[in-house]
Amino acid sequence: MAHPKRKISKTRRDKRRTHYKASVPQIATDSTTGEAHLYHRAHWHEGKLYYRGNVLIDKAEEVEA
């Protein structure tokens, strides 16, 4: 196995890691509900699961059935 000849200092290590940054998540607004959500993700609003402005699951219908 390869071993380093010298210890890498904390400063040098941290300089190398300066480019690893957390990106800000893209927030979209649903055209139907006006609810903010992540892109390409379904989201719940008032007991309904929406994706791209369409209702996928309605909790109210499941309770009645």
Side-chain angles (χ1 to χ4, degrees):
M1 289 186 52
H3 293 313
K5 191 159 186 133
R6 296 266 185 259
K7 178 181 178 179
I8 302 294
S9 69
K10 295 177 189 105
T11 306
R12 191 173 182 91
R13 176 199 65 199
D14 293 343
K15 281 185 197 176
R16 184 177 67 246
R17 295 179 179 173
T18 59
H19 303 291
Y20 302 142
K21 297 176 184 147
S23 60
V24 178
Q26 294 284 331
I27 302 294
T29 305
D30 193 337
S31 58
T32 307
T33 62
E35 188 77 11
H37 63 93
L38 292 175
Y39 274 105
H40 306 291
R41 303 289 192 281
H43 63 280
W44 288 97
H45 180 70
E46 297 178 354
K48 296 179 182 177
L49 184 66
Y50 287 90
Y51 183 68
R52 298 180 67 185
N54 299 322
V55 178
L56 297 179
I57 299 173
D58 191 352
K59 287 271 186 178
E61 291 179 5
E62 291 178 7
V63 173
E64 293 171 3

